[in-house]
Amino acid sequence: MKKEGVEQCETASLQTYDVIILGAGAAGMMCAIAAGRRGRRVLVIDHAKAPGEKIRISGGGRCNFTNIHAGPKNYLSNNPHFARSALARYTPADFIAMVDSHGIAWHEKTLGQLFCDVSAKDIIRMLTDEMKAAGVALRLGVSVDAVEKTAAGFEVVTSEGKIRAESLVVATGGKSIPKMGATGLAYRLAEQFGLAVTETRPGLVPLTLDPALLSELSDLSGVAVDAEVRHGRTAFREALLLTHRGLSGPSILQISSYWREGDEIAVAVEPAIDFAALLKTAKRENGRQAVQTVLAQYLPKRLAQYWTEKHGLTRPLADLPDKALEALGQSLKDWRIKPAGSEGYRTAEVTLGGIDTDHLDQKTMAAKAVQGLYFVGECVDVTGWLGGYNFQWAWASGYVAGLAA
């Protein structure tokens, strides 16, 4: 009897909420705001010492907080239609309205990318202020030791004791950037409750090269050039950067989400320029010029030198047949590279794959087979392109879950 009395006392002293949200990142905080506004008693917990750590470092410290073009076509998933509902119910315009209501100055860069004028911390402050206004409790530096399903909802065992809630939202992110605290907790919880997890791998990540090719390109480290990078039918045209490890820059990060080990990528250097035509014209007008001299008018000098020497075209233009110039021009439009791998989760901006969307309700992000359980943000098998798309998924998925949890 004594033991039963202790258990009853312990149960009565447990802190109880309507909604517990694991993770104080973009999706978790947005979910908390939406749920709190409905009058739900919400607790957000995170093992980090500060909320929104990935927000803080994003966009070079200015947070590329959304993209005005965000739509289902900008996301990778085993179910390409899954993201449609959430993205339609919470749009870039909705988030911009919140940003504007807080007087945060922003600007548009290329391709619809929106950034804060001053600091990513403005977005974090906005979200924490909105949570406070919605009556949301936030606890930081709290780790999760276990989660159990109960008749009334969920019991979460933390480093500060047990907490209970009717609904549990998992917003702990994926595996990318482990130094920021990524743990893979969401996948473990999904498997615990019988939800499948699709293959996960690093996305939006620099690609590495084998030692031989890396040595060949070593003098080009630091060179950047406009390029269209292709993998199969997918192509992105943005800057490409050659590094001491391999390839980086926006075009490479984009294509990395589609590339798989063993595949080639095709690079068109300065795709708007017809190098073959330029070289043949230069040959007619001043045949004493070197190929490198002409190329260096349109390419970084080191790249022009590399390309000339690679093709053995070191004689004056007048001494070179047009076919050789055409072949060089074509090689700049179809430079085939087989990356050796990627830099992995250490530098990946996102995690590809995740909680199988077949197990989630696309309108609410709820687990179909587990009452009161929700998964939002990066841990779900929905991954956006580079350029604000992943934040928009975080806002949208968090919002719709907050309306239901």
Side-chain angles (χ1 to χ4, degrees):
M1 294 294 295
K2 183 177 181 181
K3 182 179 179 183
E4 182 180 271
V6 170
E7 286 179 348
Q8 287 175 348
C9 178
E10 199 174 87
T11 299
S13 66
L14 281 179
Q15 290 186 312
T16 303
Y17 295 84
D18 295 321
V19 185
I20 295 173
I21 299 173
L22 307 183
M29 288 192 284
M30 180 57 77
C31 182
I33 293 164
R37 286 174 178 172
R38 294 169 50 225
R40 301 285 276 170
R41 293 172 300 138
V42 182
L43 171 67
V44 179
I45 62 175
D46 199 301
H47 67 319
K49 294 181 180 179
E53 282 294 83
K54 270 196 171 181
I55 298 174
R56 180 180 61 80
I57 67 169
S58 67
R62 292 194 176 183
C63 187
N64 180 189
F65 58 82
T66 192
N67 193 298
I68 60 175
H69 302 306
K73 68 182 185 301
N74 308 115
Y75 295 84
L76 291 80
S77 173
N78 280 351
N79 178 357
H81 302 293
F82 180 83
R84 187 180 303 276
S85 178
L87 292 171
R89 293 172 65 197
Y90 194 85
T91 67
D94 292 322
F95 192 78
I96 293 168
M98 182 188 289
V99 171
D100 287 343
S101 73
H102 284 258
I104 298 172
W106 54 272
H107 59 278
E108 179 181 346
K109 284 192 175 180
T110 57
L111 306 173
Q113 302 171 62
L114 305 189
F115 289 79
C116 296
D117 281 1
V118 180
S119 171
K121 293 178 181 178
D122 292 336
I123 298 295
I124 299 172
R125 190 176 304 113
M126 174 190 79
L127 294 168
T128 53
D129 286 350
E130 288 282 343
M131 285 198 299
K132 193 176 298 182
V136 174
L138 173 64
R139 290 191 199 167
L140 300 168
V142 178
S143 61
V144 175
D145 298 325
V147 174
E148 298 296 335
K149 187 80 174 73
T150 67
F154 295 87
E155 183 173 284
V156 180
V157 181
T158 77
S159 55
E160 293 188 350
K162 295 179 181 178
I163 314 165
R164 282 184 174 168
E166 177 186 339
S167 298
L168 178 71
V169 181
V170 182
T172 54
K175 300 177 182 178
S176 59
I177 320 182
K179 70 178 181 180
M180 301 301 295
T183 64
L185 173 62
Y187 310 131
R188 295 196 294 274
L189 291 176
E191 291 171 347
Q192 175 184 334
F193 289 106
L195 281 72
V197 177
T198 67
E199 177 193 6
T200 56
R201 56 194 177 89
L204 301 181
V205 62
L207 299 177
T208 59
L209 302 175
D210 66 55
L213 183 54
L214 198 60
S215 176
E216 180 185 327
L217 300 175
S218 62
D219 290 340
L220 299 179
S221 180
V223 168
V225 66
D226 180 38
E228 180 183 83
V229 182
R230 304 186 303 279
H231 178 269
R233 296 182 179 180
T234 304
F236 293 95
R237 181 179 172 183
E238 294 185 70
L240 179 151
L241 174 67
L242 292 128
T243 74
H244 64 287
R245 291 192 183 94
L247 305 173
S248 190
S251 62
I252 293 296
L253 298 186
Q254 295 279 37
I255 212 68
S256 72
S257 294
Y258 295 83
W259 172 82
R260 300 301 293 258
E261 286 77 1
D263 292 350
E264 278 188 335
I265 58 173
V267 177
V269 178
E270 294 289 352
I273 299 174
D274 187 339
F275 287 101
L278 285 171
L279 289 167
K280 286 190 284 187
T281 298
K283 176 182 173 181
R284 288 195 303 270
E285 294 177 352
N286 182 2
R288 291 176 297 176
Q289 290 184 92
V291 173
Q292 180 179 331
T293 302
V294 178
L295 292 182
Q297 296 175 46
Y298 305 94
L299 298 175
K301 288 183 178 179
R302 281 185 284 160
L303 185 58
Q305 180 181 355
Y306 166 79
W307 220 263
T308 303
E309 293 175 353
K310 176 182 174 67
H311 290 270
L313 302 181
T314 55
R315 291 176 291 161
L317 283 165
D319 296 339
L320 299 171
D322 284 355
K323 283 187 177 181
L325 302 181
E326 289 167 1
L328 183 145
Q330 178 57 32
S331 70
L332 283 163
K333 296 300 180 213
D334 192 26
W335 181 15
R336 297 300 177 109
I337 303 172
K338 183 181 284 189
S342 79
E343 291 191 8
Y345 289 115
R346 181 181 63 83
T347 57
E349 296 200 15
V350 293
T351 303
L352 290 156
I355 314 302
D356 192 332
T357 57
D358 286 348
H359 294 257
L360 302 176
D361 184 315
Q362 64 178 344
K363 294 182 179 179
T364 64
M365 307 303 296
K368 293 177 180 178
V370 186
Q371 179 68 32
L373 180 63
Y374 301 77
F375 290 87
V376 298
E378 185 185 348
C379 67
V380 178
D381 177 27
V382 175
T383 305
W385 291 357
L386 183 72
Y389 296 102
N390 286 293
F391 273 129
Q392 187 56 39
W393 170 245
W395 313 136
S397 61
Y399 175 79
V400 298
L403 294 183

